[in-house]
């Protein structure tokens, strides 16, 4: 017997703004995913605002060793999100926004237009939405990147706003360098960026949260809207049953590194080379042009320290 599930839509849309009290990237990504999994957005939509301490967040289908310049002297967390797209740097001067809706009314262009309108009305900062659906200034400098997760029945669009982030640290971590990696993973597109404070030094995170949130609540679509206001939330297991399981998965090596698409990396020195084949973050094969034994690396978890050790081995070959 076949069953038909019908979703019943009301003429009233409930809207709310949630602000996370956490600055932990794994907690905020887990909270975002919890809402996506467990909320019913049939007749409501929600804007989640969140800020992280220093971290790099890669897209679902990316390679962290290609995207991030690992440096033991820099204390920064690496996270992988559930949506696609490119790599971004977060710190406490970067605002993250997640717009949750039912898949049938998903409209990220509308969300971006809301942000553009807010920046113009509050601070007279003129921005545009480019073909990639980034928010840019002078059609050149990026202040916001965007990505989405489209499921059934829920969907979300999330984006960033660079308020006054540490651009030097961002550049050190994300500047493209030749790493001799061959992969089909999604590769980030390099962009020139600006902070909003470089355009208007009165822009600040707290006021931006308020301004974007109020603009979101007053924006009316095709339905009558009921305003549920602003709500602060602390991500935890007690409030959100199943939260810890999601957070632990987000923090795990298997999710952050083991989900990396298969790749080959070539290590070169003194006209010699070593090729490592890596699948699910694990070295599965080693090919070398010289007479050094590296078979012990097979089945090891890949990391950039292994590359440096191979280079030192190759330097000893005359």
């Amino acid at each position: 017997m076949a069953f038909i599930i019908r979703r019943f839509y009301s003429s009233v849309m409930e809207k709310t703004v949630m602000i996370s009290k956490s600055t932990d990237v794994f907690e905020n990504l887990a909270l975002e995913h919890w809402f996506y999994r467990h909320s019913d957005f049939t007749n409501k939509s929600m804007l989640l605002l969140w800020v992280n301490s220093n971290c790099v967040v890669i897209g679902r289908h990316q390679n962290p060793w290609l995207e991030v310049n690992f440096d033991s002297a820099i204390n920064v967390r690496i996270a992988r999100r559930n949506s696609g797209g490119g790599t971004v740097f977060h710190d406490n001067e970067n605002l993250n926004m997640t717009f949750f809706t039912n898949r049938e009314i998903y409209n990220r262009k509308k969300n971006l237009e809301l942000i553009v309108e807010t920046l113009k009305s509050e601070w007279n900062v003129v921005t545009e939405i480019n073909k990639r659906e980034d928010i840019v200034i002078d059609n050149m400098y990026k202040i916001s990147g965007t990505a989405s997760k489209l499921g059934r029945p829920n969907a979300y669009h999330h984006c960033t706003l660079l308020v006054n982030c540490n651009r030097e640290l961002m550049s050190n971590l994300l500047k493209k360098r030749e790493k001799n990696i061959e992969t089909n993973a999604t590769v980030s597109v390099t962009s020139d960026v600006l902070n909003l404070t470089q355009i208007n030094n009165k822009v600040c995170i707290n006021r931006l949260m308020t301004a974007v949130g109020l603009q979101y609540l007053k924006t009316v679509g095709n339905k009558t809207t009921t305003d549920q206001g602003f709500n602060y939330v602390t991500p935890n297991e007690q409030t959100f049953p199943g939260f810890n399981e999601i957070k632990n998965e987000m923090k795990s090596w298997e999710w952050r590194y083991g989900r990396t698409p298969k790749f080959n990396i070539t290590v070169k020195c003194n006209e010699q080379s070593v090729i490592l084949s890596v699948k699910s973050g694990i070295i599965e094969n080693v090919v070398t042009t010289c007479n050094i034994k590296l078979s012990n690396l097979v089945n090891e978890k890949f990391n950039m320290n292994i590359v440096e050790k191979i280079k030192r081995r190759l330097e000893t070959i005359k």
Side-chain angles (χ1 to χ4, degrees), residues 25-26 29 32 50 52-60 62 67-68 76-90 94 96 158 160 174 188 255:
V25 61
F26 301 114
L29 287 173
E32 179 183 62
W50 42 295
N52 291 324
S53 55
N54 287 3
C55 62
V56 173
V57 183
I58 65 173
R60 183 183 180 96
Q62 291 199 291
E67 299 295 333
V68 185
V76 64
R77 290 169 136 186
I78 310 298
R80 182 187 298 273
R81 62 179 184 268
N82 265 293
S83 64
T87 297
V88 290
F89 170 76
H90 292 175
N94 175 85
N96 300 285
H158 52 193
T160 60
L174 303 185
S188 297
W255 172 256

Side-chain angles (χ1 to χ4, degrees), residues 132-147:
R132 291 177 49 83
E133 295 194 319
D134 299 322
I135 299 178
V136 296
I137 292 175
D138 296 334
N139 201 31
M140 182 187 308
Y141 300 104
K142 182 175 174 179
I143 62 167
S144 175
T146 200

Side-chain angles (χ1 to χ4, degrees), residues 161-206:
L161 265 180
L162 299 177
V163 179
N164 190 26
C165 79
N166 187 333
R167 293 171 65 212
E168 181 180 359
L169 179 56
M170 180 196 300
S171 177
N172 289 340
L173 289 167
L174 303 185
K175 187 175 181 179
K176 293 295 183 185
R177 298 176 185 175
E178 180 53 57
K179 298 176 181 178
N180 296 313
I181 291 178
E182 295 180 8
T183 179
N184 291 323
T186 302
V187 179
S188 297
V189 177
T190 302
S191 302
D192 293 324
V193 299
L194 273 182
N195 280 318
L196 285 167
T197 53
Q198 294 177 263
I199 308 301
N200 186 326
N201 61 16
K202 293 182 179 180
V203 182
C204 66
I205 287 282
N206 288 339

Side-chain angles (χ1 to χ4, degrees), residues 8 71 78 83 101 119 129 164 215 227 234 241 270 278 286 300:
F8 295 94
D71 187 339
I78 310 298
S83 64
T101 62
L119 294 174
I129 303 166
N164 190 26
Q215 185 68 28
D227 178 350
T234 300
N270 289 343
V278 183
V286 180
E300 290 289 319

Side-chain angles (χ1 to χ4, degrees), residues 22 28 36 49 66 71 91 101 116 119 129 162 166 169 180 189 193-194 213 220 224 241 250 256 261 263 297:
S22 176
N28 284 325
Y36 171 78
L49 302 175
L66 179 62
D71 187 339
D91 66 9
T101 62
V116 167
L119 294 174
I129 303 166
L162 299 177
N166 187 333
L169 179 56
N180 296 313
V189 177
V193 299
L194 273 182
V220 179
T224 302
M250 291 284 184
R256 294 187 296 147
F263 68 96
L297 295 178

